[in-house]
Amino acid sequence: MPVEGFMQKSFHFDYELHSTWENLAESDLQLVHLAYEAMDLAYAPYSEFKVGAAVRLSNGLTLKGNNQENIAYPSGLCAERVVLFYAGANYPTESIETICVVARGELMPSEFLLSPCGSCRQVMLETENRQAKKIRVILVNQDKRTMILHSVNDLLPFGFGK
Ligand code: THU
């Protein structure tokens, strides 16, 4: 029996799972390689958890970033935000088409896919809303398994902001 003023709603989204990133399109493969490269260059002496992120911009340019830690722990920054803020600072008129993230370290078993932290999701969401164009998100793990999401909104429904 329906109750007045009450609505049952649901949220649904599609995502892809690939057993290996090796069969992805060339442009995605390039981002995976860049994200791994960035991961190896991370400055993470405190957590020993290295994260790499790579983006492709609408002009075709690719950029990479990684987590940068600090002895005053909260002063450090995650890989996703490093690369997104770099893109925003240097290419404010380009949109982000795809972001790829990979991580390695004992904080997470190697078969797990790194799923961006809440603060990074918030920044990714604002980037997506600001450019009014969905961002593809590619998450890969150490045994090459891959998840592809088609929008940041799928990672952070009901995020703060417009
Ligand atoms: N980290 C990222 O770079 N991205 C995330 O989405 C989660 C966490 C970093 C922050 C810190 O340097 C280390 O991983 C451990 O939390």
Side-chain angles (χ1 to χ4, degrees):
M1 166 127 147
V3 180
E4 208 186 313
F6 170 82
M7 263 193 294
Q8 185 76 53
K9 311 268 274 181
S10 62
F11 174 75
H12 157 269
F13 69 95
D14 296 309
Y15 60 95
E16 298 172 25
L17 285 177
H18 299 254
S19 55
T20 172
W21 44 254
E22 283 168 334
N23 303 324
L24 298 183
E26 186 54 41
S27 54
D28 287 342
L29 270 187
Q30 209 189 337
L31 279 192
V32 174
H33 290 305
L34 269 181
Y36 269 93
E37 247 177 65
M39 178 184 76
D40 289 334
L41 298 172
Y43 176 63
Y46 305 104
S47 69
E48 293 188 1
F49 187 69
K50 293 188 166 196
V51 186
V55 297
R56 177 178 305 283
L57 304 180
S58 43
N59 64 0
L61 203 69
T62 52
L63 306 172
K64 65 180 194 286
N66 45 36
N67 53 330
Q68 295 292 316
E69 297 186 346
N70 190 276
I71 194 161
Y73 291 1
S75 304
L77 199 62
C78 293
E80 298 91 319
R81 278 176 286 164
V82 166
V83 75
L84 287 176
F85 288 149
Y86 182 83
N90 291 284
Y91 303 94
T93 58
E94 300 299 327
S95 53
I96 310 273
E97 288 188 338
T98 306
I99 182 168
C100 174
V101 191
V102 64
R104 181 166 53 220
E106 291 194 353
L107 267 184
M108 208 177 70
S110 62
E111 69 275 15
F112 277 39
L113 287 162
L114 176 128
S115 194
C117 79
S119 299
C120 287
R121 291 178 195 210
Q122 179 66 33
V123 169
M124 289 161 74
L125 185 69
E126 181 147 337
T127 307
E128 181 168 283
N129 289 341
R130 186 178 164 194
Q131 67 187 32
K133 200 169 154 228
K134 290 180 179 176
I135 300 175
R136 287 172 70 240
V137 182
I138 304 179
L139 307 173
V140 299
N141 75 355
Q142 295 303 319
D143 60 20
K144 300 188 178 175
R145 266 189 318 117
T146 303
M147 177 185 281
I148 303 183
L149 298 110
H150 307 297
S151 166
V152 178
N153 197 54
D154 298 339
L155 277 174
L156 189 62
F158 304 110
F160 176 64
K162 285 182 233 158

